[in-house]
Amino acid sequence: MCARVSLAGRRMQDTNRGFAQELNNILRQMKKETASIKLDKSKMRDAVVVGMSDGALGNLPNGASQGGLVVCVRDYEGTASHLIGHESKRIRRVVGSSLASETIQARTLLDRTTWVRDLFHEITGDRMRIILKTDCESLVKQVYSLSNVQRDRLLTKDVYAMRQAISTGVIYSLSHIQAAFNEADAFTRVPCHWRRQQIRDMAEGKVSN
């Protein structure tokens, strides 16, 4: 469905009959399909957008690096979780270290979670807090440090963007978690048995961390 909407969006300038017919077909399919996220309205003000990211240096067959992320909406007490989206893609920028891959992916996660928060704000009127998590402790220290320890100019911009997002209240926090509890870790490597179970639990709304 998302792919069809995206392709139709590219043809918005075409006012021919074919575009109108495609748009009607999409609308008909959307009316048939149902998808919902159930959140207790009384807890919406306490709900948070939780994002987890992971970057793996050179783990793809061609030597390229891979990034994974997971975005969920959870109540603040951690009793309910709703998977919004996940991603596993090759990092298109040149990556020279594990810290660089983690930084790039965390910056991508910032954009994804901000978009989700703004979308829910339009729907519900409530602005949820954003909590980002990564298993790269060095990245967390850099974001909360006043000094610049990144030599790469582009990575420095990524770190500054996350610092500014925290200082201006765009995101609530960036924290370090152990790799075993980082659900995004499953999207940068072949998952073992307990990782596959963790992914199933995540899809069913069970909270692991």
Side-chain angles (χ1 to χ4, degrees), residues 39-46:
L39 290 174
D40 188 345
K41 182 63 178 178
S42 63
K43 294 183 179 181
M44 277 302 296
R45 295 187 182 278
D46 296 327

Side-chain angles (χ1 to χ4, degrees), residues 13 30 44 56 72 83 86 88 98 101 110 115 122 137 141 149 155 173-174 188:
Q13 302 299 327
M30 290 179 66
M44 277 302 296
C72 305
L83 176 64
H86 57 80
S88 179
S98 296
S101 64
L110 172 61
W115 184 87
E122 290 291 330
E137 189 173 6
K141 291 180 179 179
V149 294
L155 294 179
S173 65
L174 171 68
T188 57

Side-chain angles (χ1 to χ4, degrees), residues 21-35:
Q21 186 176 5
E22 175 65 13
L23 190 59
N24 286 331
N25 291 338
I26 292 175
L27 292 174
R28 271 194 229 100
Q29 184 177 350
M30 290 179 66
K31 290 179 180 179
K32 292 180 181 179
E33 297 179 359
T34 57

